Amino acid sequence: MDIKQLENLCKELLEGIGENTNREGLQETPRRFAHAWKEMISGYGEESKLAEMCTTFEGENYDEMIVVKNIEFHSLCEHHLLPIIGSATVGYIPEKKIIGVSKIPRIVEIFARRLQNQERLTMQIADTLVEVLQPKGVAVLISATHLCMTMRGVHKQNSVMETSAVRGIFRKDSRTRAEFFGMGK
């Protein structure tokens, strides 16, 4: 990532809207902007770390549903570069392998910290857990507010988008799916 280029782009943007980039409140804004963007899109290139990062424990006989709820995240809409603010509920049913509980929020964070759409984010989380764990099933529910819809466009302040991805037994068994979605509320 080219921090200097981001700083220059920010300065051009500010000047483009008629701001004086030399005034006290804006002098450091290009630098802060560049570092904020570096953090907000730090999820690129992290896939190679997933296998290493995803500590799993084999030989466990636990075969019931495991759910992590209220995983807060922030992402950026790839269409408008505005924030998506939401939470994820992620569940799986193990097949001899479980994952460290903190690893599920880390997976959400890796994919959220890039330009996204909510549908893709939901699928990426589910597919990664399938790949890492080979579980009996995975389910992901994401609820999020899109600032591209609340700050501009239709201006619907209380709108929440929900997306889900179900794999394995969650797709095949309506009772298992219903149990997960009941827990996610």
Side-chain angles (χ1 to χ4, degrees), residues 3-144:
I3 296 294
K4 197 66 181 161
Q5 185 178 14
L6 288 174
E7 288 178 14
N8 291 336
L9 287 170
C10 179
K11 188 173 181 180
E12 281 184 48
L13 174 69
L14 292 169
E15 290 168 349
I17 62 171
E19 275 289 355
N20 173 4
T21 57
N22 292 317
R23 74 174 172 86
E24 184 179 1
L26 292 179
Q27 288 174 355
E28 293 296 316
T29 297
R31 181 187 57 77
R32 288 189 296 263
F33 170 87
H35 288 283
W37 268 82
K38 181 180 179 183
E39 180 180 337
M40 290 186 301
I41 60 167
S42 63
Y44 288 107
E46 296 292 306
E47 292 92 331
S48 62
K49 296 179 184 175
L50 279 171
E52 182 181 304
M53 178 203 74
C54 290
T55 307
T56 59
F57 304 96
E58 298 194 31
E60 297 293 332
N61 292 324
Y62 191 82
D63 64 354
E64 300 292 327
M65 193 179 305
I66 298 168
V67 177
V68 180
K69 295 171 56 170
N70 301 322
I71 305 167
E72 296 176 357
F73 70 87
H74 300 88
S75 192
L76 290 169
C77 162
E78 69 182 5
H79 303 124
H80 302 96
L81 303 180
L82 291 172
I84 300 169
I85 302 167
S87 68
T89 297
V90 179
Y92 72 100
I93 298 176
E95 178 74 58
K96 299 181 183 168
K97 195 186 307 185
I98 61 173
I99 192 169
V101 69
S102 69
K103 304 314 180 200
I104 292 173
R106 288 181 194 270
I107 291 168
V108 171
E109 195 72 10
I110 283 173
F111 291 112
R113 287 189 177 261
R114 49 180 77 181
L115 300 180
Q116 273 294 9
N117 66 55
Q118 186 172 326
E119 297 87 345
R120 182 185 321 113
L121 174 62
T122 309
M123 291 187 306
Q124 287 172 326
I125 295 164
D127 293 342
T128 297
L129 282 169
V130 167
E131 183 181 327
V132 168
L133 293 173
Q134 296 93 42
K136 292 177 183 174
V138 169
V140 177
L141 174 64
I142 293 183
S143 299

